[in-house]
Amino acid sequence: MNVLIIENETYLAQSIASKLADFGHVSFITSSLEESLNKGDYDIVLMSTNTVGHNYQSVMERHKDAIIILMASYVSEDTVSKPLKLGAKDYIIKPFIMDELVRKIEHYKGFKELTEDIEFLKSYFIFIQNELQTPTLPQYNPPILIKASSQRSADIYAMKYAIEMRIRFDFLSIKNIIWSEYEFDKNKTYYITNCENLKKQEKKDFLEKMANKNVLISMISDDKVDFPQIVDITNMANNLEIGSEILSIREYERIIITKFENRYPDIELAKKLGMSRKSLWEKRKKYGISRKK
């Protein structure tokens, strides 16, 4: 990162610059107020209150996007309190241990990067959420089963619930755990996906166990199930994710049979596809799909 050191004690300024160079930072040293205002933008400004005097406000306004750390000989309204109120991040009292200054710099550098990451993810979530018609959130607490036509829609709905209810999830996939043996922490809230891949009886057993847990569950299916609280968004038009290419009926049939043959028995899958069990068998043979056991 680029560091501006405003300090009239030359030896101290050079020592700071040398130490920061060990951490990959590039420093520019000045004792001139005019020069500190005219120089380019910096990520970090180390400002000696002895050097800038009562002109600290102009320096802070010029470098308002930087991490500003005060280097003061004593604590007073003008040296510490007022600059902190105007946006300086921290201060250190001279003489100080160089490692302590570096620790402060690394702390605020990490905090700034984390804040920027969070803002990026928030903006991404808002962007994705605005692409979907999201129904009103339920007022009740977990357990909640979200029935949707796509995983993306269920995830957006679950994340919106977490943000508005100010809760945080542990994320679990049925594919990656043995749910019957998993130890759930009563102090945590879980978001569980892929329960639609369970067999009919196993799904029933799973939902019965989850009925008293602190969980949100996504189920990408319109199957009828029993659960204390169900949010059904399967009929929302924007939940059906359409790719950029239009598939032929044949290709669509092949994909659907391959994707869902382990989820439903042949009779039920054939019924959902609007065909007989014999027709389903013939299409498997036609498309070269082997029935998995």
Side-chain angles (χ1 to χ4, degrees):
M1 301 184 86
N2 293 324
V3 183
L4 174 62
I5 303 173
I6 309 172
E7 175 59 73
N8 56 13
E9 296 180 40
T10 305
Y11 177 76
L12 175 59
Q14 290 176 344
S15 297
I16 294 171
S18 177
K19 185 69 174 180
L20 294 182
D22 294 339
F23 290 83
H25 301 303
V26 178
S27 300
F28 175 82
I29 300 172
T30 183
S31 60
S32 165
L33 176 65
E34 182 180 355
E35 198 169 35
S36 70
L37 296 175
N38 293 333
K39 285 295 179 181
D41 296 329
Y42 290 86
D43 303 301
I44 300 166
V45 174
L46 303 178
M47 183 171 67
S48 169
T49 55
N50 291 338
T51 303
V52 299
H54 293 286
N55 297 303
Y56 58 82
Q57 189 168 351
S58 59
V59 177
M60 293 178 65
E61 288 175 353
R62 170 63 181 83
H63 300 285
K64 62 179 184 290
D65 293 327
I67 298 167
I68 298 176
I69 298 177
L70 311 168
M71 299 184 294
S73 298
Y74 57 92
V75 176
S76 71
E77 280 288 307
D78 287 329
T79 61
V80 173
S81 298
K82 288 182 180 178
L84 287 177
K85 289 177 183 178
L86 291 173
K89 295 299 182 185
D90 207 342
Y91 70 95
I92 192 167
I93 298 298
K94 299 177 183 178
F96 51 78
I97 299 172
M98 202 66 68
D99 286 343
E100 179 63 14
L101 177 62
V102 172
R103 186 195 66 78
K104 286 179 181 287
I105 291 171
E106 293 300 308
H107 169 78
Y108 287 104
K109 171 177 171 287
F111 180 79
K112 183 178 181 181
E113 290 172 351
L114 182 61
T115 301
E116 290 172 348
D117 288 344
I118 291 172
E119 288 304 314
F120 169 74
L121 294 173
K122 277 185 178 179
S123 64
Y124 171 73
F125 175 77
I126 292 171
F127 169 76
I128 295 298
Q129 180 181 301
N130 288 340
E131 296 295 306
L132 298 172
Q133 178 190 350
T134 309
T136 303
L137 292 173
Q139 296 303 307
Y140 41 78
N141 296 321
I144 298 172
L145 176 67
I146 305 168
K147 294 176 66 177
S149 298
S150 71
Q151 190 63 59
R152 179 171 179 256
S153 299
D155 292 348
I156 292 294
Y157 190 87
M159 290 302 294
K160 183 177 180 182
Y161 181 87
I163 290 170
E164 294 198 11
M165 300 298 284
R166 300 190 66 81
I167 60 176
R168 299 294 178 263
F169 295 141
D170 273 21
F171 295 90
L172 296 176
S173 169
I174 290 295
K175 294 179 180 180
N176 301 326
I177 64 170
I178 302 175
W179 64 265
S180 58
E181 300 177 6
Y182 192 85
E183 294 292 332
F184 288 87
D185 187 335
K186 65 180 180 180
N187 297 315
K188 292 182 178 181
T189 302
Y190 297 86
Y191 178 48
I192 306 175
T193 62
N194 294 302
C195 82
E196 66 275 358
N197 293 318
L198 298 173
K199 297 292 186 180
K200 190 172 184 179
Q201 184 58 48
E202 192 178 12
K203 185 188 299 178
K204 181 181 178 182
D205 295 340
F206 167 74
L207 292 177
E208 285 180 357
K209 181 175 180 179
M210 295 301 107
N212 62 355
K213 304 292 185 187
N214 199 24
V215 297
L216 273 75
I217 303 168
S218 72
M219 187 171 78
I220 314 307
S221 169
D222 60 355
D223 292 349
K224 292 183 179 179
V225 292
D226 290 325
F227 202 71
Q229 298 169 140
I230 299 176
V231 175
D232 190 342
I233 57 176
T234 55
N235 293 325
M236 295 182 66
N238 61 13
N239 279 322
L240 183 60
E241 293 183 346
I242 305 297
S244 58
E245 296 184 8
I246 298 176
L247 301 177
S248 67
I249 298 299
R250 174 175 175 170
E251 185 66 13
Y252 178 80
E253 284 180 337
R254 185 187 68 77
I255 291 173
I256 294 300
I257 292 171
T258 302
K259 182 175 181 179
F260 293 99
E261 65 173 5
N262 287 331
R263 188 180 304 177
Y264 302 106
D266 281 0
I267 294 176
E268 193 173 350
L269 180 57
K271 183 179 179 181
K272 286 182 176 292
L273 288 170
M275 63 180 67
S276 67
R277 187 177 179 183
K278 181 180 178 182
S279 295
L280 177 60
W281 179 83
E282 290 173 345
K283 289 186 181 296
R284 272 206 192 93
K285 185 177 180 182
K286 179 181 178 181
Y287 301 145
I289 301 172
S290 299
R291 183 74 166 93
K292 295 179 181 179
K293 298 182 180 180

